[in-house]
Structures are given as C-alpha cells and as structure tokens.
Amino acid sequence: MTGIRLMLAGLGAAVLALTAVAPAMAQAGISDEITLTLGKGGTLHVVEKITGGTGELRRTFLTRTRYDDDNDRLYQVSNVKGGKLTGDVLTVTAPATVEYDVKGAVTASGDVEELRWFAVNGWDTPVAKATVKVSGPGPVQALSCFAGELTSAIGCTSASMNHTGTEADFEQENLAPGQALTVVVGYPKGASGGGPILEKRFSLASAFTLDTVTGGALAGLLVLMLGGLGLLYWTRGRDARVADHEKGAVDPVQNGHFSPPDGVRPGQIGTLVDEQADVVDVTATIVDLAVRGYLRIDEQPRQTYDAPDWMLVRLPSAPTGTLLPYEQALYDAIFEGRDSVLLSQLSGSFARHLGEVRDALYRDVVKQGWFARRPDTERTRWTLIGVVLIGVGVLATVALAWFTTYGLLGLAVIIAGGALAVGGQYMPAKTAKGSAALAHTLGFREYLFSGELGEVPEQHRVELFSRYLPYAVIFDGVEHWSRVVASVTGNGHQADNLYWYHGPAEWDLSNFAGSMRTFTTTTSGAISASRQFRTL
C-alpha cells in the first residue's frame, strides 16, 4: 500500500508540473507594446516597445492591399528609428524600441474617418502578448479589431476606449509567426484630413478603356495620321499627270520595221510598269538579246522523260558596244568569258549576278528620267519608316497601357505605321516623262493584243513578230505571240528554225509555242535559284 501511495504522489506531482509549464509555453514569444498617434494630414506615428526576446528579429510590413476592382491601397512606412527598414522588412535587435511613420492608413467611410492599421503583423517569431493604445485628433466614434490570419474576421482578445472617449485600447495574446492584429478606429469625418494612397492596378480592360475621351482621341489621331499618310502619297507617291495627247494607241511599225514606243526595251518596260526589276524582266531581256542578234537559243535534244534544256550561244559578230549597261551586265553574267552555256548550268550560279542586273535596271530607269529616285530605294525607305513607326507604336502602347488608360492611342500609331509599311510599296512615283512613257507603253500593249496588226510585208514578218515576243513576255502573252511567230510561213507548212531560235532534229515551228512557254518558265527559275548546300 505504501508503494501505491508513493506512485500516486509522483503522478500528482508530474501533473502539477505540466500544469505549471503549460501557461509558460503558451506565453513563449515577444511582448509588443504599441502606441499609435494619428496626426494631421493622416500621418500615423507608431512607437513599438519590444521585450521578452533576444537577438535579431524581422517583421515584414503589409504595405499593399486590394482597395477595389481597379486600385490597390498602399501603406508607406518611413522615418524608421531603432531598427533598419529594407524594402518592406524591418530588422530590430530585441529588446528594442522602434519608431516609424505610416501614411495611407486613413480613409473616409460614410460619416466617419477610418484609421486601419496592421499594428502587429509579419513577425518571424510568436507574439505572446500585444497591447495597442490609439489616440487621434478627435473623439473615438467606433472601434474594432481582428486577430489571426490577415483575412480573419475573429475579434481580438479585448477592445475598449477610455472614459473620455479620446483613446482606444486593444489587446491580443498568442499570435503565431506571420499572424496579424488589425485595429480599426473611427474618428469624425475630416478629423485628420488624411486619405488612402491608391495605385491603379494594371488590367487589359482598364488599360484599353473605350469611352468618349479615348474613343474621340483615337478617332482624331487616326484621322490625323492616316490623313497625313494620304497627303504624303498625294504629294510624293503619285505619278505625274500627262497630257491627254500623250495617251492612246501606238503603232510601232514604221516602214515595215519594228520601233518600240520611245525606244523602250522589254526590261525597261517591265520595270516602268510595276516599278520593280523582276526576274521576268531579266528573262524578257534574254529573249530580246537573242531576237536582236546578240545570242542564239538552241533547244537541246532530249528523251521523253528528260528535263528540257537550252544552249545559249554567244554570236561573235554581235555589236556588244551598243548594249545598255543593264544589258551588258546580263550578257557578261551569262557567258563569263565562254562562248556558250547550258541554261541548266546557270541554275544556282547566276543568282549572285541577278542583283547586279536588277541594280543596273533601277539605275537605268532613273537615268532615263522616268523616276526621280530609284523605286527600290524609295520603297525600302518608306517601308522602313513604317516598321520603325510600328515599333514606336508598340512601345507607346505598352507605356500608355501600363501607366494610363489611354492604351488605344498607341494602337493608332501602330495602325499608321502598318499603313505606311504597306503603302511604302506604292511610294515610287513616275515623273512626267515616265508617265508619258507608261502611257505609250500601255498603248503599245493594246495594239499588241488587238489582233489588228495591219499589212506586214512577207519579208519583214519573221523579224517583226519576233521583235514583239520579248514584250509579250513582259505582258504575259508568250502563248499568243509564240503562235503568231510560228505561223509566219503560213498554210501550216513545216519550217525549220528561226534565225535566233534553233530546235533539235524533227523539230519545226509548230512546236515553237510550247518550247517558248517552257523556255521562259525554266529561265526564270534558273536565274533566280540559289545554289543549295548538300546535307548529309
């Protein structure tokens, strides 16, 4: 029995010891005694006396909360004494007394001015006990407090005011690390004159707000910028007008010989019409050089499934000194010191010369006085300006959308830049001389496809109809004019070669239309193809 009594006595002592330790464990942590004084202008002066802890402690202030659908509410902490504030983190060495000011803790709420501040929050250690004393510029109208997580609606341990109604007192025990004690005190409206600090929250809907102001500004800016682009085109990009007598059909046959309008050659016509030195312009020039006796085109014999090929043969008696610069550049690029070359051999190797030929064509049309500036340079310049304007518009849109609600105005700049980048393709403008040459050229085209070629002497038909063919290449009429050339002997009788185009054995002019169609297509592909590297 004595042993049992001793055992029960020991258990009782253990229970008493645990009972005594439990409150001590519950109270583990720092004590925070806080005094809040609300002054004029809404500045809240805070004094915190921290005891019951040792070493370095950190508190992370809550400085931003959601205010409404469009704004965040900011709390600005400044003038820190007794600790170090880095960003939103306050570092102190306990025990300590720290002071600081808070702005933005006051807001109007109905007929009262409400002070709301997170008197305790963000400590990295438990807070065993916190007391808060609040005084302000007027009598207390209302008070409340919340403890626990930031979103908690649970009241604090106690909340009261003194007998004069000028001070509010709050108390809370056992806050875990990171938990908060939020105090709310109401004063008469306008007592401190403070207000919340609001910051616009970014959202696409608000950044691109469409209302009377932004819509009107957008419409006005679009009218201004697009109108300016229209004026720019009217003054800089429009072809000069020509007199009515410069227009109309043109008869290029004089005394039975071919005389192109204004002496314009096929490559020049192609560049004049669409303001671009295209591959088809170079192809037409090759055919023109053959027709005019500078080279000969020999179609190579082939089996049924072989790819067609042609031999370009240099004619030694050709007066190359009369060639225009772009024709000479093309002639030299084709032969490169040799007397003949297969068209298939040009594929891949000629592309490096194509730029030189096109460059010479652009220089030629300026030299002819048809353009004041090179069309390719003019297009590039205005397109580049349009791209730069798009970039400026993107930056402006981002800046306006981020800092204001006028993001739509930046879109107007982007639209104008896009219009200029696209419209830059139409900026090359012909001079009066170029416009007159174009009018004659279009008249020649009408004549060429009218079918009314008049009486052409038999002895001139081969030369005359052949001279038409390079121009038909430019005007996309190869099929039609190849048949015309093939019919010059009449009555469907077979004929051998033309003076500038030779076919293989068993070939006659009845095959010429198909051969020429294939030749022009193959040539355009060959001279524009780049050499490909073999991949393993």
Side-chain angles (χ1 to χ4, degrees), residues 265-266 282-297 313 315 318 323-324 326-332 334-335 470 499-500:
R265 297 186 180 165
V282 181
T283 300
T285 301
I286 293 175
V287 176
D288 187 50
L289 291 176
V291 172
R292 287 161 50 203
Y294 291 92
L295 60 88
R296 190 180 69 247
I297 303 172
V313 181
L315 299 181
L323 291 174
L324 295 176
Y326 81 89
E327 294 175 324
Q328 187 68 58
L330 175 59
Y331 193 77
D332 294 341
I334 291 173
F335 294 108
Y499 69 91
W500 59 274

PDB file of all heavy atoms in Angstrom, residues 265-266 282-297 313 315 318 323-324 326-332 334-335 470 499-500:
ATOM      1  N   ARG A 265      12.958  49.301-124.142  1.00  0.00           N
ATOM      2  CA  ARG A 265      13.238  47.877-124.296  1.00  0.00           C
ATOM      3  C   ARG A 265      12.454  47.068-123.271  1.00  0.00           C
ATOM      4  O   ARG A 265      11.972  47.623-122.268  1.00  0.00           O
ATOM      5  CB  ARG A 265      14.744  47.647-124.172  1.00  0.00           C
ATOM      6  CG  ARG A 265      15.469  48.361-125.310  1.00  0.00           C
ATOM      7  CD  ARG A 265      16.914  48.097-125.380  1.00  0.00           C
ATOM      8  NE  ARG A 265      17.507  48.825-126.510  1.00  0.00           N
ATOM      9  CZ  ARG A 265      18.793  49.025-126.684  1.00  0.00           C
ATOM     10  NH1 ARG A 265      19.654  48.541-125.804  1.00  0.00           N
ATOM     11  NH2 ARG A 265      19.237  49.707-127.725  1.00  0.00           N
ATOM     12  N   PRO A 266      12.308  45.769-123.496  1.00  0.00           N
ATOM     13  CA  PRO A 266      11.418  44.956-122.649  1.00  0.00           C
ATOM     14  C   PRO A 266      11.722  45.059-121.157  1.00  0.00           C
ATOM     15  O   PRO A 266      10.814  45.225-120.335  1.00  0.00           O
ATOM     16  CB  PRO A 266      11.635  43.536-123.166  1.00  0.00           C
ATOM     17  CG  PRO A 266      12.078  43.708-124.574  1.00  0.00           C
ATOM     18  CD  PRO A 266      12.875  44.970-124.611  1.00  0.00           C
ATOM     19  N   VAL A 282      14.271  40.243-116.538  1.00  0.00           N
ATOM     20  CA  VAL A 282      15.566  39.708-116.966  1.00  0.00           C
ATOM     21  C   VAL A 282      15.354  38.614-118.019  1.00  0.00           C
ATOM     22  O   VAL A 282      16.075  38.548-119.016  1.00  0.00           O
ATOM     23  CB  VAL A 282      16.344  39.161-115.756  1.00  0.00           C
ATOM     24  CG1 VAL A 282      17.701  38.615-116.188  1.00  0.00           C
ATOM     25  CG2 VAL A 282      16.530  40.261-114.708  1.00  0.00           C
ATOM     26  N   THR A 283      14.349  37.758-117.814  1.00  0.00           N
ATOM     27  CA  THR A 283      14.037  36.703-118.795  1.00  0.00           C
ATOM     28  C   THR A 283      13.674  37.319-120.141  1.00  0.00           C
ATOM     29  O   THR A 283      14.150  36.871-121.195  1.00  0.00           O
ATOM     30  CB  THR A 283      12.884  35.837-118.277  1.00  0.00           C
ATOM     31  OG1 THR A 283      13.260  35.232-117.040  1.00  0.00           O
ATOM     32  CG2 THR A 283      12.528  34.749-119.281  1.00  0.00           C
ATOM     33  N   ALA A 284      12.833  38.356-120.130  1.00  0.00           N
ATOM     34  CA  ALA A 284      12.446  39.014-121.379  1.00  0.00           C
ATOM     35  C   ALA A 284      13.652  39.647-122.058  1.00  0.00           C
ATOM     36  O   ALA A 284      13.751  39.659-123.299  1.00  0.00           O
ATOM     37  CB  ALA A 284      11.394  40.082-121.086  1.00  0.00           C
ATOM     38  N   THR A 285      14.603  40.142-121.269  1.00  0.00           N
ATOM     39  CA  THR A 285      15.805  40.742-121.844  1.00  0.00           C
ATOM     40  C   THR A 285      16.661  39.689-122.534  1.00  0.00           C
ATOM     41  O   THR A 285      17.267  39.956-123.587  1.00  0.00           O
ATOM     42  CB  THR A 285      16.607  41.466-120.745  1.00  0.00           C
ATOM     43  OG1 THR A 285      15.789  42.478-120.148  1.00  0.00           O
ATOM     44  CG2 THR A 285      17.857  42.117-121.307  1.00  0.00           C
ATOM     45  N   ILE A 286      16.739  38.489-121.965  1.00  0.00           N
ATOM     46  CA  ILE A 286      17.486  37.397-122.610  1.00  0.00           C
ATOM     47  C   ILE A 286      16.875  37.082-123.975  1.00  0.00           C
ATOM     48  O   ILE A 286      17.582  36.930-124.986  1.00  0.00           O
ATOM     49  CB  ILE A 286      17.511  36.146-121.704  1.00  0.00           C
ATOM     50  CG1 ILE A 286      18.338  36.421-120.449  1.00  0.00           C
ATOM     51  CG2 ILE A 286      18.072  34.944-122.459  1.00  0.00           C
ATOM     52  CD1 ILE A 286      18.324  35.289-119.437  1.00  0.00           C
ATOM     53  N   VAL A 287      15.534  36.979-124.023  1.00  0.00           N
ATOM     54  CA  VAL A 287      14.863  36.727-125.303  1.00  0.00           C
ATOM     55  C   VAL A 287      15.114  37.890-126.263  1.00  0.00           C
ATOM     56  O   VAL A 287      15.381  37.696-127.456  1.00  0.00           O
ATOM     57  CB  VAL A 287      13.352  36.516-125.084  1.00  0.00           C
ATOM     58  CG1 VAL A 287      12.632  36.339-126.421  1.00  0.00           C
ATOM     59  CG2 VAL A 287      13.099  35.304-124.184  1.00  0.00           C
ATOM     60  N   ASP A 288      15.086  39.106-125.754  1.00  0.00           N
ATOM     61  CA  ASP A 288      15.307  40.287-126.585  1.00  0.00           C
ATOM     62  C   ASP A 288      16.718  40.302-127.160  1.00  0.00           C
ATOM     63  O   ASP A 288      16.924  40.656-128.337  1.00  0.00           O
ATOM     64  CB  ASP A 288      15.054  41.542-125.749  1.00  0.00           C
ATOM     65  CG  ASP A 288      15.098  42.813-126.592  1.00  0.00           C
ATOM     66  OD1 ASP A 288      14.413  42.843-127.634  1.00  0.00           O
ATOM     67  OD2 ASP A 288      15.814  43.752-126.224  1.00  0.00           O
ATOM     68  N   LEU A 289      17.708  39.917-126.353  1.00  0.00           N
ATOM     69  CA  LEU A 289      19.087  39.861-126.846  1.00  0.00           C
ATOM     70  C   LEU A 289      19.217  38.838-127.964  1.00  0.00           C
ATOM     71  O   LEU A 289      19.977  39.037-128.928  1.00  0.00           O
ATOM     72  CB  LEU A 289      20.046  39.524-125.700  1.00  0.00           C
ATOM     73  CG  LEU A 289      20.235  40.602-124.629  1.00  0.00           C
ATOM     74  CD1 LEU A 289      21.135  40.089-123.510  1.00  0.00           C
ATOM     75  CD2 LEU A 289      20.825  41.874-125.250  1.00  0.00           C
ATOM     76  N   ALA A 290      18.477  37.738-127.839  1.00  0.00           N
ATOM     77  CA  ALA A 290      18.508  36.726-128.898  1.00  0.00           C
ATOM     78  C   ALA A 290      17.851  37.261-130.165  1.00  0.00           C
ATOM     79  O   ALA A 290      18.404  37.143-131.267  1.00  0.00           O
ATOM     80  CB  ALA A 290      17.809  35.455-128.421  1.00  0.00           C
ATOM     81  N   VAL A 291      16.685  37.885-130.043  1.00  0.00           N
ATOM     82  CA  VAL A 291      15.967  38.413-131.201  1.00  0.00           C
ATOM     83  C   VAL A 291      16.781  39.487-131.904  1.00  0.00           C
ATOM     84  O   VAL A 291      16.787  39.581-133.140  1.00  0.00           O
ATOM     85  CB  VAL A 291      14.586  38.960-130.754  1.00  0.00           C
ATOM     86  CG1 VAL A 291      13.907  39.692-131.899  1.00  0.00           C
ATOM     87  CG2 VAL A 291      13.689  37.812-130.276  1.00  0.00           C
ATOM     88  N   ARG A 292      17.521  40.281-131.153  1.00  0.00           N
ATOM     89  CA  ARG A 292      18.307  41.372-131.731  1.00  0.00           C
ATOM     90  C   ARG A 292      19.680  40.933-132.208  1.00  0.00           C
ATOM     91  O   ARG A 292      20.473  41.756-132.680  1.00  0.00           O
ATOM     92  CB  ARG A 292      18.452  42.494-130.690  1.00  0.00           C
ATOM     93  CG  ARG A 292      17.155  43.273-130.466  1.00  0.00           C
ATOM     94  CD  ARG A 292      17.147  44.050-129.161  1.00  0.00           C
ATOM     95  NE  ARG A 292      18.363  44.858-129.008  1.00  0.00           N
ATOM     96  CZ  ARG A 292      18.830  45.278-127.832  1.00  0.00           C
ATOM     97  NH1 ARG A 292      18.189  44.935-126.727  1.00  0.00           N
ATOM     98  NH2 ARG A 292      19.911  46.015-127.773  1.00  0.00           N
ATOM     99  N   GLY A 293      19.996  39.626-132.085  1.00  0.00           N
ATOM    100  CA  GLY A 293      21.213  39.103-132.684  1.00  0.00           C
ATOM    101  C   GLY A 293      22.448  39.108-131.823  1.00  0.00           C
ATOM    102  O   GLY A 293      23.567  39.031-132.338  1.00  0.00           O
ATOM    103  N   TYR A 294      22.297  39.134-130.512  1.00  0.00           N
ATOM    104  CA  TYR A 294      23.460  39.095-129.629  1.00  0.00           C
ATOM    105  C   TYR A 294      23.771  37.678-129.149  1.00  0.00           C
ATOM    106  O   TYR A 294      24.891  37.390-128.760  1.00  0.00           O
ATOM    107  CB  TYR A 294      23.224  39.999-128.408  1.00  0.00           C
ATOM    108  CG  TYR A 294      23.211  41.462-128.763  1.00  0.00           C
ATOM    109  CD1 TYR A 294      22.026  42.108-129.083  1.00  0.00           C
ATOM    110  CD2 TYR A 294      24.395  42.197-128.802  1.00  0.00           C
ATOM    111  CE1 TYR A 294      22.000  43.442-129.427  1.00  0.00           C
ATOM    112  CE2 TYR A 294      24.380  43.538-129.148  1.00  0.00           C
ATOM    113  CZ  TYR A 294      23.177  44.162-129.463  1.00  0.00           C
ATOM    114  OH  TYR A 294      23.177  45.490-129.815  1.00  0.00           O
ATOM    115  N   LEU A 295      22.787  36.809-129.167  1.00  0.00           N
ATOM    116  CA  LEU A 295      22.999  35.413-128.803  1.00  0.00           C
ATOM    117  C   LEU A 295      21.948  34.566-129.512  1.00  0.00           C
ATOM    118  O   LEU A 295      20.971  35.081-130.069  1.00  0.00           O
ATOM    119  CB  LEU A 295      22.935  35.229-127.285  1.00  0.00           C
ATOM    120  CG  LEU A 295      21.632  35.606-126.543  1.00  0.00           C
ATOM    121  CD1 LEU A 295      20.663  34.426-126.495  1.00  0.00           C
ATOM    122  CD2 LEU A 295      21.938  36.079-125.131  1.00  0.00           C
ATOM    123  N   ARG A 296      22.166  33.267-129.508  1.00  0.00           N
ATOM    124  CA  ARG A 296      21.205  32.341-130.114  1.00  0.00           C
ATOM    125  C   ARG A 296      20.786  31.320-129.068  1.00  0.00           C
ATOM    126  O   ARG A 296      21.584  30.912-128.229  1.00  0.00           O
ATOM    127  CB  ARG A 296      21.833  31.630-131.306  1.00  0.00           C
ATOM    128  CG  ARG A 296      20.824  30.823-132.151  1.00  0.00           C
ATOM    129  CD  ARG A 296      21.463  30.134-133.328  1.00  0.00           C
ATOM    130  NE  ARG A 296      22.342  29.041-132.919  1.00  0.00           N
ATOM    131  CZ  ARG A 296      23.651  29.030-133.071  1.00  0.00           C
ATOM    132  NH1 ARG A 296      24.261  30.076-133.629  1.00  0.00           N
ATOM    133  NH2 ARG A 296      24.373  28.004-132.676  1.00  0.00           N
ATOM    134  N   ILE A 297      19.535  30.920-129.171  1.00  0.00           N
ATOM    135  CA  ILE A 297      18.997  29.933-128.230  1.00  0.00           C
ATOM    136  C   ILE A 297      18.828  28.618-128.971  1.00  0.00           C
ATOM    137  O   ILE A 297      18.068  28.540-129.945  1.00  0.00           O
ATOM    138  CB  ILE A 297      17.642  30.405-127.655  1.00  0.00           C
ATOM    139  CG1 ILE A 297      17.789  31.772-126.970  1.00  0.00           C
ATOM    140  CG2 ILE A 297      17.093  29.376-126.664  1.00  0.00           C
ATOM    141  CD1 ILE A 297      16.471  32.394-126.542  1.00  0.00           C
ATOM    142  N   VAL A 313      24.140  30.602-126.957  1.00  0.00           N
ATOM    143  CA  VAL A 313      25.362  30.696-127.751  1.00  0.00           C
ATOM    144  C   VAL A 313      25.672  32.162-128.029  1.00  0.00           C
ATOM    145  O   VAL A 313      24.822  32.914-128.528  1.00  0.00           O
ATOM    146  CB  VAL A 313      25.215  29.916-129.077  1.00  0.00           C
ATOM    147  CG1 VAL A 313      26.506  29.992-129.890  1.00  0.00           C
ATOM    148  CG2 VAL A 313      24.821  28.465-128.805  1.00  0.00           C
ATOM    149  N   LEU A 315      27.080  35.156-130.110  1.00  0.00           N
ATOM    150  CA  LEU A 315      27.314  35.410-131.527  1.00  0.00           C
ATOM    151  C   LEU A 315      28.482  36.374-131.664  1.00  0.00           C
ATOM    152  O   LEU A 315      28.434  37.512-131.180  1.00  0.00           O
ATOM    153  CB  LEU A 315      26.058  35.985-132.179  1.00  0.00           C
ATOM    154  CG  LEU A 315      24.811  35.070-132.119  1.00  0.00           C
ATOM    155  CD1 LEU A 315      23.625  35.722-132.811  1.00  0.00           C
ATOM    156  CD2 LEU A 315      25.107  33.713-132.739  1.00  0.00           C
ATOM    157  N   ALA A 318      28.164  40.110-132.870  1.00  0.00           N
ATOM    158  CA  ALA A 318      27.204  40.993-132.205  1.00  0.00           C
ATOM    159  C   ALA A 318      27.876  42.290-131.768  1.00  0.00           C
ATOM    160  O   ALA A 318      28.975  42.262-131.202  1.00  0.00           O
ATOM    161  CB  ALA A 318      26.603  40.293-130.994  1.00  0.00           C
ATOM    162  N   LEU A 323      25.079  47.870-126.318  1.00  0.00           N
ATOM    163  CA  LEU A 323      24.204  47.409-125.237  1.00  0.00           C
ATOM    164  C   LEU A 323      24.104  48.467-124.137  1.00  0.00           C
ATOM    165  O   LEU A 323      25.063  49.179-123.851  1.00  0.00           O
ATOM    166  CB  LEU A 323      24.742  46.111-124.629  1.00  0.00           C
ATOM    167  CG  LEU A 323      24.688  44.859-125.517  1.00  0.00           C
ATOM    168  CD1 LEU A 323      25.386  43.695-124.831  1.00  0.00           C
ATOM    169  CD2 LEU A 323      23.242  44.491-125.839  1.00  0.00           C
ATOM    170  N   LEU A 324      22.920  48.535-123.534  1.00  0.00           N
ATOM    171  CA  LEU A 324      22.752  49.383-122.367  1.00  0.00           C
ATOM    172  C   LEU A 324      23.466  48.746-121.175  1.00  0.00           C
ATOM    173  O   LEU A 324      23.730  47.540-121.176  1.00  0.00           O
ATOM    174  CB  LEU A 324      21.263  49.550-122.049  1.00  0.00           C
ATOM    175  CG  LEU A 324      20.429  50.290-123.103  1.00  0.00           C
ATOM    176  CD1 LEU A 324      18.955  50.296-122.708  1.00  0.00           C
ATOM    177  CD2 LEU A 324      20.935  51.713-123.299  1.00  0.00           C
ATOM    178  N   TYR A 326      22.594  47.715-118.216  1.00  0.00           N
ATOM    179  CA  TYR A 326      21.982  46.545-117.600  1.00  0.00           C
ATOM    180  C   TYR A 326      22.022  45.350-118.545  1.00  0.00           C
ATOM    181  O   TYR A 326      22.140  44.202-118.102  1.00  0.00           O
ATOM    182  CB  TYR A 326      20.545  46.854-117.148  1.00  0.00           C
ATOM    183  CG  TYR A 326      19.484  46.801-118.212  1.00  0.00           C
ATOM    184  CD1 TYR A 326      18.808  45.621-118.498  1.00  0.00           C
ATOM    185  CD2 TYR A 326      19.142  47.947-118.948  1.00  0.00           C
ATOM    186  CE1 TYR A 326      17.825  45.575-119.479  1.00  0.00           C
ATOM    187  CE2 TYR A 326      18.172  47.903-119.907  1.00  0.00           C
ATOM    188  CZ  TYR A 326      17.513  46.723-120.191  1.00  0.00           C
ATOM    189  OH  TYR A 326      16.540  46.679-121.164  1.00  0.00           O
ATOM    190  N   GLU A 327      21.937  45.597-119.878  1.00  0.00           N
ATOM    191  CA  GLU A 327      22.052  44.516-120.849  1.00  0.00           C
ATOM    192  C   GLU A 327      23.467  43.964-120.871  1.00  0.00           C
ATOM    193  O   GLU A 327      23.672  42.744-120.966  1.00  0.00           O
ATOM    194  CB  GLU A 327      21.657  45.021-122.232  1.00  0.00           C
ATOM    195  CG  GLU A 327      20.185  45.413-122.347  1.00  0.00           C
ATOM    196  CD  GLU A 327      19.864  46.032-123.701  1.00  0.00           C
ATOM    197  OE1 GLU A 327      20.726  46.759-124.251  1.00  0.00           O
ATOM    198  OE2 GLU A 327      18.743  45.792-124.196  1.00  0.00           O
ATOM    199  N   GLN A 328      24.444  44.848-120.763  1.00  0.00           N
ATOM    200  CA  GLN A 328      25.837  44.403-120.749  1.00  0.00           C
ATOM    201  C   GLN A 328      26.117  43.575-119.496  1.00  0.00           C
ATOM    202  O   GLN A 328      26.812  42.550-119.570  1.00  0.00           O
ATOM    203  CB  GLN A 328      26.774  45.618-120.791  1.00  0.00           C
ATOM    204  CG  GLN A 328      28.252  45.262-120.941  1.00  0.00           C
ATOM    205  CD  GLN A 328      28.550  44.661-122.307  1.00  0.00           C
ATOM    206  OE1 GLN A 328      28.305  45.275-123.340  1.00  0.00           O
ATOM    207  NE2 GLN A 328      29.096  43.440-122.308  1.00  0.00           N
ATOM    208  N   ALA A 329      25.577  44.023-118.359  1.00  0.00           N
ATOM    209  CA  ALA A 329      25.760  43.266-117.116  1.00  0.00           C
ATOM    210  C   ALA A 329      25.152  41.874-117.239  1.00  0.00           C
ATOM    211  O   ALA A 329      25.740  40.877-116.788  1.00  0.00           O
ATOM    212  CB  ALA A 329      25.125  44.023-115.944  1.00  0.00           C
ATOM    213  N   LEU A 330      23.983  41.767-117.868  1.00  0.00           N
ATOM    214  CA  LEU A 330      23.330  40.475-118.065  1.00  0.00           C
ATOM    215  C   LEU A 330      24.125  39.609-119.044  1.00  0.00           C
ATOM    216  O   LEU A 330      24.363  38.424-118.796  1.00  0.00           O
ATOM    217  CB  LEU A 330      21.905  40.689-118.579  1.00  0.00           C
ATOM    218  CG  LEU A 330      21.112  39.438-118.962  1.00  0.00           C
ATOM    219  CD1 LEU A 330      20.982  38.501-117.775  1.00  0.00           C
ATOM    220  CD2 LEU A 330      19.738  39.822-119.505  1.00  0.00           C
ATOM    221  N   TYR A 331      24.573  40.219-120.125  1.00  0.00           N
ATOM    222  CA  TYR A 331      25.329  39.489-121.152  1.00  0.00           C
ATOM    223  C   TYR A 331      26.611  38.905-120.561  1.00  0.00           C
ATOM    224  O   TYR A 331      26.943  37.734-120.773  1.00  0.00           O
ATOM    225  CB  TYR A 331      25.646  40.452-122.295  1.00  0.00           C
ATOM    226  CG  TYR A 331      26.143  39.803-123.568  1.00  0.00           C
ATOM    227  CD1 TYR A 331      25.267  39.161-124.431  1.00  0.00           C
ATOM    228  CD2 TYR A 331      27.492  39.864-123.912  1.00  0.00           C
ATOM    229  CE1 TYR A 331      25.722  38.579-125.607  1.00  0.00           C
ATOM    230  CE2 TYR A 331      27.956  39.291-125.087  1.00  0.00           C
ATOM    231  CZ  TYR A 331      27.065  38.656-125.928  1.00  0.00           C
ATOM    232  OH  TYR A 331      27.518  38.080-127.097  1.00  0.00           O
ATOM    233  N   ASP A 332      27.325  39.711-119.793  1.00  0.00           N
ATOM    234  CA  ASP A 332      28.573  39.245-119.172  1.00  0.00           C
ATOM    235  C   ASP A 332      28.303  38.170-118.135  1.00  0.00           C
ATOM    236  O   ASP A 332      29.092  37.221-117.986  1.00  0.00           O
ATOM    237  CB  ASP A 332      29.306  40.417-118.515  1.00  0.00           C
ATOM    238  CG  ASP A 332      29.806  41.443-119.527  1.00  0.00           C
ATOM    239  OD1 ASP A 332      29.909  41.093-120.725  1.00  0.00           O
ATOM    240  OD2 ASP A 332      30.069  42.594-119.118  1.00  0.00           O
ATOM    241  N   ILE A 334      25.906  35.974-118.137  1.00  0.00           N
ATOM    242  CA  ILE A 334      25.526  34.713-118.783  1.00  0.00           C
ATOM    243  C   ILE A 334      26.760  33.959-119.257  1.00  0.00           C
ATOM    244  O   ILE A 334      26.934  32.764-118.978  1.00  0.00           O
ATOM    245  CB  ILE A 334      24.569  34.966-119.962  1.00  0.00           C
ATOM    246  CG1 ILE A 334      23.213  35.460-119.447  1.00  0.00           C
ATOM    247  CG2 ILE A 334      24.396  33.700-120.800  1.00  0.00           C
ATOM    248  CD1 ILE A 334      22.268  35.885-120.556  1.00  0.00           C
ATOM    249  N   PHE A 335      27.641  34.638-119.957  1.00  0.00           N
ATOM    250  CA  PHE A 335      28.738  33.931-120.620  1.00  0.00           C
ATOM    251  C   PHE A 335      30.024  33.895-119.788  1.00  0.00           C
ATOM    252  O   PHE A 335      30.758  32.910-119.856  1.00  0.00           O
ATOM    253  CB  PHE A 335      28.993  34.553-122.001  1.00  0.00           C
ATOM    254  CG  PHE A 335      27.853  34.352-122.952  1.00  0.00           C
ATOM    255  CD1 PHE A 335      27.030  35.402-123.307  1.00  0.00           C
ATOM    256  CD2 PHE A 335      27.564  33.101-123.468  1.00  0.00           C
ATOM    257  CE1 PHE A 335      25.962  35.224-124.167  1.00  0.00           C
ATOM    258  CE2 PHE A 335      26.497  32.899-124.336  1.00  0.00           C
ATOM    259  CZ  PHE A 335      25.693  33.961-124.702  1.00  0.00           C
ATOM    260  N   PRO A 470       9.617  39.455-127.002  1.00  0.00           N
ATOM    261  CA  PRO A 470      10.110  39.813-125.661  1.00  0.00           C
ATOM    262  C   PRO A 470       9.135  40.727-124.904  1.00  0.00           C
ATOM    263  O   PRO A 470       9.026  40.631-123.682  1.00  0.00           O
ATOM    264  CB  PRO A 470      11.434  40.544-125.954  1.00  0.00           C
ATOM    265  CG  PRO A 470      11.846  40.066-127.305  1.00  0.00           C
ATOM    266  CD  PRO A 470      10.575  39.832-128.057  1.00  0.00           C
ATOM    267  N   TYR A 499      15.897  32.535-137.042  1.00  0.00           N
ATOM    268  CA  TYR A 499      17.288  32.982-137.074  1.00  0.00           C
ATOM    269  C   TYR A 499      17.890  33.094-135.669  1.00  0.00           C
ATOM    270  O   TYR A 499      19.107  33.070-135.498  1.00  0.00           O
ATOM    271  CB  TYR A 499      17.414  34.324-137.815  1.00  0.00           C
ATOM    272  CG  TYR A 499      16.795  35.505-137.089  1.00  0.00           C
ATOM    273  CD1 TYR A 499      17.534  36.288-136.209  1.00  0.00           C
ATOM    274  CD2 TYR A 499      15.453  35.832-137.284  1.00  0.00           C
ATOM    275  CE1 TYR A 499      16.949  37.371-135.551  1.00  0.00           C
ATOM    276  CE2 TYR A 499      14.873  36.904-136.636  1.00  0.00           C
ATOM    277  CZ  TYR A 499      15.620  37.674-135.765  1.00  0.00           C
ATOM    278  OH  TYR A 499      15.043  38.737-135.123  1.00  0.00           O
ATOM    279  N   TRP A 500      17.032  33.179-134.646  1.00  0.00           N
ATOM    280  CA  TRP A 500      17.540  33.348-133.290  1.00  0.00           C
ATOM    281  C   TRP A 500      17.195  32.182-132.361  1.00  0.00           C
ATOM    282  O   TRP A 500      17.660  32.126-131.216  1.00  0.00           O
ATOM    283  CB  TRP A 500      16.990  34.638-132.672  1.00  0.00           C
ATOM    284  CG  TRP A 500      15.462  34.690-132.608  1.00  0.00           C
ATOM    285  CD1 TRP A 500      14.630  35.112-133.582  1.00  0.00           C
ATOM    286  CD2 TRP A 500      14.639  34.273-131.513  1.00  0.00           C
ATOM    287  NE1 TRP A 500      13.321  35.002-133.183  1.00  0.00           N
ATOM    288  CE2 TRP A 500      13.298  34.503-131.901  1.00  0.00           C
ATOM    289  CE3 TRP A 500      14.884  33.757-130.252  1.00  0.00           C
ATOM    290  CZ2 TRP A 500      12.223  34.209-131.080  1.00  0.00           C
ATOM    291  CZ3 TRP A 500      13.814  33.470-129.420  1.00  0.00           C
ATOM    292  CH2 TRP A 500      12.500  33.702-129.838  1.00  0.00           C
TER     293      TRP A 500
END
